[in-house]
Amino acid sequence: MKRVLILSTTTGYQTRSFDAAALALGVELVYGLDQCRGLENPWVGHSVPVRFYDDPRSLHALARANAESPLHGVLALGDRPTVLASEVAEAFGLSFHPPDAARVSRNKLLTRQRLQHAHLPVPAFAAVPVDADPQALLREAFPESRIRLAPTKPRASAVGEVGNPESRLVSFPVVVKPLVLSGSRGVIRANTPDQFVESVHRLRHILDAPDVRLMKDPDSRTILIESFIEGREYAVEGLMTEGRLRWLAIFDKPDPLDGPFFEETIYVTPSRAPAAHQSRIVEAVAAAARALGLRHGPVHAECRVNAGGVFVLEAAARPIGGLCARALRFAAAGGATVSFEELLLRHALGEAVDTVSREDGASGVMMIPIPTTGVYRGVDGIEAARGVPRIDDLLITAVPGQHLVTLPDGASYLGFIFARGATSADVVAALRAAHARVRFRIDRELLLAGSGVAPAARHVRDY
């Protein structure tokens, strides 16, 4: 039986989704999880405790597992495990992205630098220490409300004009963001100097949170400031095979993502953008993947498109996160349905998957946003939402008693709604209709107590 190593955080939604795919393929899964050795193992198959901040020790533990029975493939779920996955592949002779590419792709600053070096469109950007005084930055680095960077010569690329030297100035509005967090956590738009100061202070508070400190990532002590990019946002899912990108789906994001925070809600495919527009997106993502050095494995890319070209915000060495992968199904030869997880496992094992294509019709997912900070108590209207035509499923991932935190401080969702239909417009309408039928009960008492204001009474509201 072939064995595939899946590296993931224990909080990842996707971990269990691979079990059915592995069973169908007759594949044994080995999980590398950042779990305590003393905890009961709730995952199917064997698991190895790892620490994503301690690659040498984790690699040693995984080497023992490989010695017991050889691994035949590796996948990373989420940004943090990608570097260890690349090191495992290099050490054990497996196919995956190179370590350097994995390190660059999970760091927003290194990504910007690598894309800029390849003459691909990037926003103007600057990196500063997390403890930098934002007032001092305004005085010293924002002359006339700008951060002046080294000018670059204008140069054309296949996916748009890089711009003239004046475009290498960070000017308001700006986006302040961490280098390594995911799910739009800590990403804040600032339109004015006062908002910039407030945003830096807020991001500093987020990066000082206990869960971020536990990551022990030195890159969490640097923040990125970059010009806000106007335009529509898209996501691209693809597979790299020996340096060649094969795109699987382009997702539209129908809700505008203009800030001040950037909470993603709906992904829907196929894209309704014109065919020429989609070709430019795919070409830009392929160019970005090559510039980052990605070679073999899944790629999840995010990009913004405007008259200046396609700006690739990230090209990660991993598949789409959360449970969003359930929005993707594929058809194999003979008409058999293949899940996205099964497709990833086949590719990790070196099987040819070029004949597999996305199913006909449209599909989409809504990541149910958290409307307010507080304690989750329950939800009503689930069956009514599931009864909406074209709704495929609705899953609530929040559990009663869970402390909910809104963006930009948090990075989770209440659950996921899935829909399928003849057109993308039908899918979006179904997702919105289903979301309108659910009501979440959230207790804001903890929020009020944490603010230092004693609540007069328990405050539970429906959202």
Side-chain angles (χ1 to χ4, degrees):
M1 181 179 290
K2 291 188 176 181
R3 306 171 82 219
V4 176
L5 172 66
I6 295 182
L7 292 165
S8 175
T9 62
T10 53
T11 56
Y13 291 124
Q14 292 171 291
T15 310
R16 296 180 184 272
S17 300
F18 279 85
D19 295 337
L23 184 63
L25 292 174
V27 172
E28 180 185 354
L29 299 183
V30 180
Y31 290 112
L33 304 170
D34 59 343
Q35 68 181 66
C36 174
R37 293 178 184 273
L39 291 179
E40 180 183 356
N41 176 17
W43 285 270
V44 175
H46 182 57
S47 71
V48 179
V50 297
R51 294 290 181 266
F52 297 123
Y53 59 79
D54 190 348
D55 287 359
R57 183 176 298 180
S58 299
L59 192 60
H60 181 70
L62 293 167
R64 291 199 303 268
N66 184 61
E68 294 172 4
S69 183
L71 297 167
H72 301 89
V74 61
L75 285 169
L77 306 185
D79 291 316
R80 288 184 65 206
T82 55
V83 175
L84 181 57
S86 67
E87 292 173 342
V88 166
E90 185 176 66
F92 304 161
L94 306 176
S95 295
F96 195 67
H97 304 292
D100 176 70
R103 293 188 188 96
V104 171
S105 67
R106 74 172 298 264
N107 181 298
K108 296 179 179 66
L109 174 61
L110 297 179
T111 293
R112 295 288 179 272
Q113 292 171 337
R114 190 67 63 87
L115 297 182
Q116 185 181 56
H117 183 74
H119 308 295
L120 299 176
V122 295
F125 62 90
V128 299
V130 68
D131 56 358
D133 179 4
Q135 293 286 2
L137 288 175
L138 285 173
R139 291 191 303 269
E140 300 167 10
F142 267 81
E144 300 178 0
S145 298
R146 294 175 172 183
I147 297 179
R148 186 170 296 277
L149 303 176
T152 58
K153 294 181 180 179
R155 185 176 303 198
S157 74
V159 291
E161 294 289 336
V162 173
N164 55 45
E166 184 66 15
S167 72
R168 311 320 306 157
L169 300 171
V170 179
S171 57
F172 288 106
V174 301
V175 177
V176 178
K177 59 178 64 175
L179 297 190
V180 294
L181 300 184
S182 58
S184 298
R185 186 181 184 187
V187 182
I188 308 170
R189 172 174 168 168
N191 298 325
T192 66
D194 286 345
Q195 290 179 5
F196 172 77
V197 172
E198 180 183 350
S199 299
V200 172
H201 283 305
R202 188 163 188 177
L203 178 53
R204 181 183 300 159
H205 177 75
I206 293 169
L207 292 174
D208 282 335
D211 64 315
V212 178
R213 290 284 191 177
L214 284 172
M215 292 170 59
K216 299 183 180 181
D217 192 329
D219 290 331
S220 66
R221 310 317 296 164
T222 302
I223 64 175
L224 186 66
I225 305 165
E226 61 185 32
S227 295
F228 173 73
I229 306 170
E230 301 282 353
R232 302 296 298 182
E233 194 160 316
Y234 301 84
V236 177
E237 208 64 26
L239 286 172
M240 297 284 290
T241 303
E242 299 305 324
R244 178 179 60 86
L245 176 70
R246 180 193 172 206
W247 70 276
L248 303 172
I250 300 177
F251 287 100
D252 289 345
K253 302 181 184 183
D255 291 332
L257 293 167
D258 293 329
F261 314 129
F262 297 85
E263 186 168 57
E264 296 184 311
T265 49
I266 295 177
Y267 277 37
V268 61
T269 190
S271 172
R272 287 181 279 181
H277 194 103
Q278 294 185 46
S279 295
R280 291 175 59 218
I281 291 173
V282 172
E283 182 183 357
V285 171
R290 290 193 299 269
L292 299 181
L294 299 174
R295 290 284 302 166
H296 195 93
V299 173
H300 174 76
E302 308 274 349
C303 55
R304 286 228 174 196
V305 181
N306 58 34
V310 180
F311 292 76
V312 178
L313 304 178
E314 71 168 298
R318 59 164 178 85
I320 191 171
L323 293 178
C324 296
R326 296 192 183 187
L328 292 174
R329 292 178 188 165
F330 299 86
T337 299
V338 177
S339 70
F340 187 43
E341 290 80 12
E342 185 176 340
L343 181 67
L344 293 175
L345 289 175
R346 288 183 177 183
H347 188 262
L349 291 169
E351 296 183 17
V353 295
D354 287 346
T355 60
V356 178
S357 59
R358 202 188 69 80
E359 65 180 354
D360 292 335
S363 61
V365 57
M366 170 181 274
M367 294 158 274
I368 305 174
I370 295 173
T372 186
T373 294
V375 179
Y376 174 67
R377 299 303 183 192
V379 59
D380 301 309
I382 290 181
E383 293 309 315
R386 286 175 175 160
V388 171
R390 295 181 290 277
I391 291 299
D392 199 37
D393 200 2
L394 187 155
L395 298 172
I396 303 300
T397 52
V399 296
Q402 179 180 341
H403 184 202
L404 304 175
V405 182
T406 58
L407 279 178
D409 304 271
S412 62
Y413 296 92
L414 290 166
F416 300 83
I417 309 173
F418 305 91
R420 283 181 162 74
T423 68
S424 294
D426 291 339
V427 168
V428 172
L431 292 171
R432 296 196 193 281
H435 183 233
R437 284 163 170 75
V438 292
R439 291 291 181 269
F440 295 93
R441 286 174 273 115
I442 300 174
D443 187 346
R444 297 187 63 196
E445 181 177 359
L446 184 59
L447 170 65
L448 296 174
S451 68
V453 179
R458 190 182 187 89
H459 188 190
V460 180
R461 290 189 58 186
D462 290 342
Y463 294 88

